[in-house]
Amino acid sequence: MSLGHACVDVYQGAVAALVPFFVSERAYTYAAASGLVLAASLLSSVVQPLFGALTDRWAMPWLLPVSALLGGAGVAMSGVSGSYALTLAVVAVSGMGVAAYHPEAARVARHASRGSHTAMGSFSLGGNLGFATAPPLVAAVIATGGLGATPLLVVPALVGAALCAAALRALEAPGAPKVSDAAPDANEAGGRDDWASFARLSGAVVCRSIVFVGLSTFISLYARQRTGGGEVSGTAALFVLYLGGAVGTVAGGRLATRYRRITVVRWSYALTVLAVAGVVLVPGPSLYAFVALTSAGLYVPFSLHVTLGQDYLPRRMGTAGGVTLGLTVSIGGLAAPFVGAVADAASLQTALAPLIALPALGWVLLRTLREPEPPALPAPPPPADREAPPEARPPTGPADEPVPGGETRRQPW
């Protein structure tokens, strides 16, 4: 599941990684380039809660390999046509595939992990590694033949679909928790849904999302300006932003086992305020250190958002997973065109400056939240007895030995 998540989230990172190449090869403005991010995010934002609601009612594990293929196909076709409208359309299809994947994947991963914060951190880590892989992968593909080589980007989707199918087969094996039975009817699930707390958590997730998408869309171009480097410096900045998330996600799962999740999430948002300020205001090579710090601050609460949301909505885990895991990225794309428009009118630094305030707003929303009680998960099935009971075994000796009293005694061999 973690490796399949990595393959799917390559396509969330790939859209932002393609932006500088669309700017250089097709002379897109900042607003036009950020429109591609909007196209991937808008449809995703609309359909993701729908898929979450569906997975609350019915288990749909088949969505995992199908959505992986859909996400890859859209990005693979993005550079084939010179038409801006067609490029928007195929990127939107990719966004829909990614949207369909996350609610069901979060449900299946939580079921397989039996509520373990560390295991869910590993699942989220897979997605973060997919993000981190996107910039060098896109740069390598574009280097072979420009934007016309984007069909090569379908390869991770093929691998991801195969991995998802293998994971589902393993979960349906004898003795494994049946993933097809993991979506109980909402009226029969235990616990109460705390929509007020979930709404505040979702507000913080939106703040985090706008910061992340705003930086991932423009950090490559911004790093070139602030460091005076070329394409390599921009790709390196985006790679650091994504790769630092791997460290942050692992740290988040570990910290949550020692401290309360809410405490860890609050401190992460507070750290992100200072880190984003450094990215926007500090020039030169030290920019990369603040990018790494920002990445850690944004990603430490990443998997914790998912488990908190599912514990606030124990009867709607699909919806909770779709909002906290999928919309974490997609909803921020709705603000990307506004950031691009300000950058066109003024400068990238002016456009990115408001991002400093958003983690602070997220911290305010989280300040009064309480740690929820985790829902009761089904107990693991008892191990299958691999050996037949003694009375069912055939005789292994030549014959049973009669003993006084009319009884028989099994020969020791």
Side-chain angles (χ1 to χ4, degrees):
M1 288 294 296
S2 297
L3 292 173
H5 192 192
C7 292
V8 172
D9 275 9
V10 163
Y11 300 107
Q12 298 218 69
V15 176
L18 284 166
V19 164
F21 298 102
F22 281 114
V23 171
S24 60
E25 288 195 25
R26 297 185 181 176
Y28 287 172
T29 63
Y30 290 139
S34 59
L36 297 177
V37 180
L38 173 64
S41 303
L42 184 59
L43 188 59
S44 176
S45 301
V46 172
V47 304
Q48 199 138 211
L50 172 62
F51 279 110
L54 290 174
T55 58
D56 284 331
R57 297 296 303 274
W58 302 286
M60 296 187 292
W62 55 267
L63 265 180
L64 301 187
V66 171
S67 57
L69 293 173
L70 193 62
V75 167
M77 297 298 294
S78 63
V80 173
S81 172
S83 167
Y84 183 71
L86 184 57
T87 302
L88 286 175
V90 295
V91 168
V93 168
S94 176
M96 185 174 69
V98 172
Y101 170 83
H102 280 100
E104 181 70 358
R107 181 188 68 82
V108 173
R110 182 69 182 269
H111 182 72
S113 69
R114 301 199 174 279
S116 166
H117 299 318
T118 302
M120 286 300 290
S122 297
F123 173 70
S124 299
L125 173 62
N128 299 337
L129 292 177
F131 265 109
T133 304
L137 177 63
V138 167
V141 168
I142 300 302
T144 65
L147 288 173
T150 54
L152 295 174
L153 293 173
V154 77
V155 173
L158 299 176
V159 176
L163 288 168
C164 289
L168 294 175
R169 282 196 302 271
L171 287 172
E172 292 294 341
K178 297 297 183 183
V179 69
S180 57
D181 299 330
D185 187 277
N187 296 321
E188 297 177 1
R192 289 181 54 190
D193 291 336
D194 185 353
W195 286 100
S197 296
F198 182 75
R200 278 182 284 170
L201 175 68
S202 299
V205 168
V206 169
C207 294
R208 184 260 183 205
S209 175
I210 295 173
V211 174
F212 178 77
V213 177
L215 288 178
S216 63
T217 303
F218 295 108
I219 193 64
S220 182
L221 297 169
Y222 188 64
R224 296 184 197 182
Q225 295 179 5
R226 300 294 281 179
T227 63
E231 289 186 358
V232 174
S233 64
T235 299
L238 189 59
F239 180 71
V240 169
L241 178 66
Y242 290 165
L243 186 62
V247 178
T249 302
V250 173
R254 298 288 177 83
L255 290 171
T257 61
R258 184 171 182 180
Y259 307 101
R260 294 190 309 166
R261 288 172 291 177
I262 286 294
T263 301
V264 175
V265 171
R266 285 177 189 150
W267 277 105
S268 300
Y269 276 71
L271 171 66
T272 305
V273 176
L274 301 177
V276 175
V279 170
V280 175
L281 302 175
V282 175
S286 56
L287 168 76
Y288 293 101
F290 284 103
V291 170
L293 191 61
T294 299
S295 179
L298 290 172
Y299 273 107
V300 162
F302 189 79
S303 64
L304 306 184
H305 287 152
V306 181
T307 57
L308 282 169
Q310 290 175 330
D311 290 348
Y312 284 133
L313 300 184
R315 297 186 176 191
R316 298 287 186 274
M317 284 198 178
T319 299
V323 171
T324 54
L325 183 62
L327 291 187
T328 296
V329 175
S330 60
I331 197 69
L334 303 181
F338 296 100
V339 178
V342 174
D344 285 328
S347 67
L348 267 178
Q349 186 176 35
T350 302
L352 296 177
L355 301 182
I356 300 172
L358 288 172
L361 177 58
W363 181 88
V364 171
L365 292 171
L366 295 166
R367 189 174 61 87
T368 57
L369 281 184
R370 295 181 178 180
E371 184 77 16
E373 289 293 330
L377 294 172
D385 187 359
R386 298 179 180 272
E387 192 174 17
E391 60 271 15
R393 298 179 194 145
T396 57
D400 290 341
E401 177 184 355
V403 297
E407 299 177 356
T408 60
R409 181 175 62 197
R410 181 84 59 193
Q411 294 289 357
W413 56 78

